[in-house]
Amino acid sequence: MTTIAVAGKGGTGKTTIASLAVRYLIGKGEGPVLVVDADPNSNMGQTLGIEVPITVGSMREQGFAGDRDIPGGMTKDQFVEYKMQEALAEGEGFDLLTMGRPEGAGCYCFANNLIRRFMDELAADYRHVIMDNEAGLEHLSRRTTRTTDVLLVVSDAGMRGLTAAARVLELADEMKLDVGRRMFVLNRATPETAAALQPEIERLELPLVATLPEDPGLFEVEVAGRSLLDLPGGSPFVSAAASLFDMIFAAQ
Ligand SMILES: Nc1ncnc2c1ncn2[C@@H]1O[C@H](COP(=O)(O)OP(=O)(O)O)[C@@H](O)[C@H]1O
Ligand SMILES: [Mg+2]
């Protein structure tokens, strides 16, 4: 089983790349995949084309605040597990767990506590786990998740994205996250922009493993409100992403 966490500045392509990784794995017969949408600004339900019943964060508002809400005959753990199952959106070849919005003041205490306690059990039912994170790595804190095999940091072809990527990698070190490999991906780059950014990528010591081009097809799929699972294959972007995933999953 491979656990991949995608991180980086907002708008750089994390959710897109995470969604394509799901599609890649399903296409290779490597399902079922557990997808964890841990970025309150993302919507993997949309990119994967499924309805999200409830988010983990909203479970508290759904009348699940304390022990008194637990039905008779159930232990607290059994009840929480039951609720977590309820929050899983089922797709073909994957299930999606959506963390949802923070509980005020950026606190994910409740959702994180649940994930901390039940993630390992939940993940055991899947072949791979793909987690779409916010830049702060909030959900990746050492206690929340199991080993992350690959921390995939994404940037667009811009200086702010690169700086944010370097910061994410620093943060992962500071938090002493249990990470197997760190990988950096430059998204929406042309050979020219990639070459121009090369010195900065080296200066920041970003572990560049792939450069992905702009894909006009992404915009079309998005405006049409379709899922990224329907993105036509064969574009240079989809091919480059597939080579990246070949490398990631072959090495596991
Ligand atoms: N290689 C690409 N070519 C064209 N558009 C892209 C590419 N990567 C991402 N996008 C677009 O950029 C926007 C932000 O991407 P998204 O994956 O949501 O970023 P993030 O999850 O990092 O915030 C989306 O509209 C997406 O379709
Ligand atoms: Mg996103």
Side-chain angles (χ1 to χ4, degrees):
M1 124 124 50
T2 315
T3 299
I4 299 194
V6 188
K9 179 177 155 317
T12 55
K14 295 183 296 293
T15 301
T16 304
I17 291 168
S19 305
L20 285 187
V22 176
R23 167 173 126 145
Y24 169 92
L25 287 171
I26 296 170
K28 293 271 181 199
E30 283 284 317
V33 181
L34 174 62
V35 185
V36 182
D37 181 351
D39 183 345
N41 296 312
S42 95
N43 188 349
M44 290 196 78
Q46 207 171 338
T47 58
L48 297 174
I50 51 171
E51 290 287 326
V52 172
I54 52 168
T55 65
V56 178
S58 74
M59 275 159 58
R60 189 163 68 172
E61 290 130 50
Q62 308 245 332
F64 171 46
D67 293 350
R68 64 187 159 74
D69 299 314
I70 299 171
M74 262 192 185
T75 65
K76 184 169 184 177
D77 280 5
Q78 282 169 338
F79 184 57
V80 171
E81 254 188 283
Y82 163 76
K83 292 296 271 185
M84 292 273 277
Q85 290 294 335
E86 223 176 40
L88 273 179
E90 288 179 31
E92 269 177 50
F94 70 93
D95 287 342
L96 169 67
L97 191 68
T98 303
M99 300 300 287
R101 309 197 66 74
E103 299 144 35
C107 178
Y108 279 102
C109 322
F110 177 77
N112 261 346
N113 273 329
L114 291 188
I115 288 290
R116 202 168 287 161
R117 283 168 59 194
F118 296 100
M119 189 63 178
D120 285 357
E121 270 169 64
L122 190 65
D125 294 337
Y126 299 88
R127 302 243 326 246
H128 301 282
V129 179
I130 309 244
M131 200 166 181
D132 185 13
N133 292 275
E134 57 179 341
L137 299 183
E138 173 75 32
H139 296 287
L140 273 183
S141 76
R142 200 151 36 122
R143 290 164 305 161
T144 29
T145 38
R146 44 191 298 115
T147 303
T148 303
D149 298 294
V150 177
L151 176 60
L152 193 65
V153 184
V154 181
S155 174
D156 52 14
M159 295 300 273
R160 279 178 301 142
L162 295 188
T163 311
R167 179 70 196 126
V168 166
L169 289 165
E170 249 174 58
L171 198 61
D173 286 341
E174 279 167 24
M175 290 161 74
K176 296 195 168 53
L177 289 184
D178 188 3
V179 172
R181 288 185 298 159
R182 293 159 167 74
M183 295 185 174
F184 172 68
V185 173
L186 189 63
N187 186 25
R188 310 185 78 160
T190 62
E192 293 73 30
T193 54
L197 290 170
Q198 190 60 36
E200 188 62 11
I201 290 171
E202 277 168 28
R203 192 185 69 80
L204 292 169
E205 295 178 9
L206 296 171
L208 181 68
V209 294
T211 300
L212 308 179
E214 178 78 18
D215 189 343
L218 280 174
F219 182 70
E220 281 163 34
V221 165
E222 202 166 277
V223 221
R226 297 212 315 273
S227 145
L228 282 184
L229 300 179
D230 297 336
L231 185 69
S235 76
F237 173 71
V238 174
S239 304
S243 303
L244 167 69
F245 302 139
D246 279 343
M247 183 188 71
I248 292 177
F249 293 105
Q252 293 303 314

